[in-house]
Amino acid sequence: MMRLPYGVASFEGIRLEGCYYIDRSQYIPILEGLGKYLLLLRPRRFGKSLFLNTLAAYYDLNKKQEFAKLFKGLYINNRPTSDANKYLILKFDFSGVSSDSGYERLRESFGINVRRDVLTFISGYRAIWGDSREMESVVERIEGMAEASDIIKELLGVISSYGLKVYVLIDEYDNFANVLLSSGDEPTYKRLAQGTGFLKTFFKQIKVYTQQGTGIVARAFITGVTPMLLDDLGSGFNNAENVTMEKSLNEIMGFTEQEVMELLKRVAAEQPEIDP
């Protein structure tokens, strides 16, 4: 019986549990050719989170031993790029940021989310840090930090001493900003995105580590629904290229009519015949 992963965004879960999966790995080399810092926009429920998790599994140096198991039978399995399993994956998900209690609460919630994701990142690569007292000190300092820009600066600053590169993945980058705008709270939106707003300073800090000869943040892939927030951030992360309208990426997410029809045929073929 074919297993349909309804509502599941875990690439590893889908692949290891034998669920139905439509291959999108052929877009990985295309994305690499388009640039190092990319923004891709799609409507909700188009599979953005799943694709982000596919990239995480492909580029994560921790997943090198699992590459064949995860990508067996997929396009990229026999055509890996030179960047496969090359990076530390720093993934942020902004879909859970609280945006209904004013600027300061939003700022606090954003900091909590960033701190959580950064500490998860550090824990996930503990084999690399080993018994490093330096990294233990970093964790202690981050646990006491509230400002997202300070947290990311602390993390990326210490990673530079390990000679490793980071791939930053950001899911739903504009989720809470869109909630603010749809509820009519434009003043809070402008405050977080402009001047010394916490979101702008967060992105500016990431940008620092893509420049100045450091290159610690070697790549970034950001998903969202509209380009408006990134445009309003201005210099915050203006080195990101919006590839949403790139024709070669038209079918990178969602399903084509042919794919839907093929899936329906397979589902129908597995149903028991019903006597009239």
Side-chain angles (χ1 to χ4, degrees):
M1 177 73 69
M2 180 171 53
R3 301 181 63 188
L4 297 176
Y6 178 76
V8 179
S10 170
F11 172 75
E12 293 181 57
I14 290 173
R15 295 294 293 163
L16 296 179
E17 294 174 19
C19 296
Y20 188 78
Y21 176 75
I22 295 178
D23 189 9
R24 291 291 186 264
S25 66
Q26 65 271 30
Y27 291 99
I28 291 176
I30 296 176
L31 289 174
E32 287 188 9
L34 290 175
K36 294 182 179 295
Y37 310 107
L38 305 176
L39 170 70
L40 183 71
L41 307 171
R42 288 293 187 273
R44 302 191 186 284
R45 313 308 302 171
F46 254 61
K48 296 188 295 295
S49 297
L50 174 57
F51 187 77
L52 224 67
N53 289 330
T54 303
L55 294 180
Y58 178 78
Y59 288 105
D60 192 347
L61 58 80
N62 264 357
K63 304 294 183 185
K64 190 171 185 177
Q65 301 304 318
E66 301 173 52
F67 184 89
K69 185 186 300 183
L70 292 173
F71 291 94
K72 181 180 180 182
L74 302 186
Y75 172 91
I76 204 68
N77 185 55
N78 297 318
R79 307 171 184 84
T81 66
S82 59
D83 277 2
N85 303 123
K86 183 178 178 180
Y87 303 110
L88 304 179
I89 301 298
L90 178 55
K91 186 174 181 292
F92 296 104
D93 181 357
F94 294 159
S95 63
V97 176
S98 175
S99 58
D100 57 358
S101 302
Y103 179 83
E104 291 304 328
R105 173 64 187 120
L106 175 56
R107 182 177 183 173
E108 178 186 8
S109 178
F110 185 77
I112 290 172
N113 272 257
V114 169
R115 183 168 62 245
R116 176 203 63 204
D117 291 340
V118 165
L119 291 175
T120 297
F121 167 87
I122 293 174
S123 175
Y125 293 105
R126 63 170 63 91
I128 292 175
W129 325 130
D131 298 326
S132 169
R133 176 56 190 163
E134 180 183 28
M135 190 57 76
E136 290 180 10
S137 297
V138 168
V139 170
E140 292 174 2
R141 290 194 293 273
I142 287 176
E143 287 177 338
M145 291 178 176
E147 204 64 51
S149 58
D150 293 338
I151 293 170
I152 199 70
K153 180 180 180 180
E154 183 72 27
L155 175 69
L156 296 178
V158 74
I159 287 178
S160 62
S161 65
Y162 286 87
L164 298 170
K165 303 291 185 180
V166 175
Y167 196 138
V168 174
L169 299 171
I170 302 179
D171 199 10
E172 303 283 0
Y173 94 101
D174 59 345
N175 180 273
F176 57 92
N178 291 337
V179 172
L180 289 173
L181 290 175
S182 64
S183 63
D185 193 354
E186 190 172 346
T188 298
Y189 171 85
K190 288 183 177 180
R191 189 176 175 188
L192 68 89
Q194 299 174 4
T196 58
F198 70 84
L199 189 61
K200 184 170 184 177
T201 56
F202 170 78
F203 275 99
K204 284 183 72 173
Q205 196 58 64
I206 294 177
K207 181 181 175 182
V208 166
Y209 287 92
T210 69
Q211 298 178 331
Q212 298 181 354
T214 62
I216 295 167
V217 177
R219 289 186 176 275
F221 189 80
I222 304 169
T223 71
V225 177
T226 79
M228 183 165 56
L229 177 58
L230 200 62
D231 289 343
D232 287 341
L233 289 173
S235 61
F237 203 66
N238 58 1
N239 53 345
E241 182 172 355
N242 186 347
V243 296
T244 302
M245 302 304 291
E246 173 65 38
K247 289 184 178 180
S248 62
L249 302 178
N250 281 351
E251 298 175 3
I252 192 172
M253 295 176 189
F255 301 104
T256 65
E257 180 180 358
Q258 181 179 350
E259 289 167 345
V260 172
M261 293 305 296
E262 176 62 28
L263 176 57
L264 290 175
K265 289 178 183 178
R266 291 187 58 177
V267 171
E270 292 184 354
Q271 304 308 307
E273 292 186 9
I274 301 177
D275 294 329

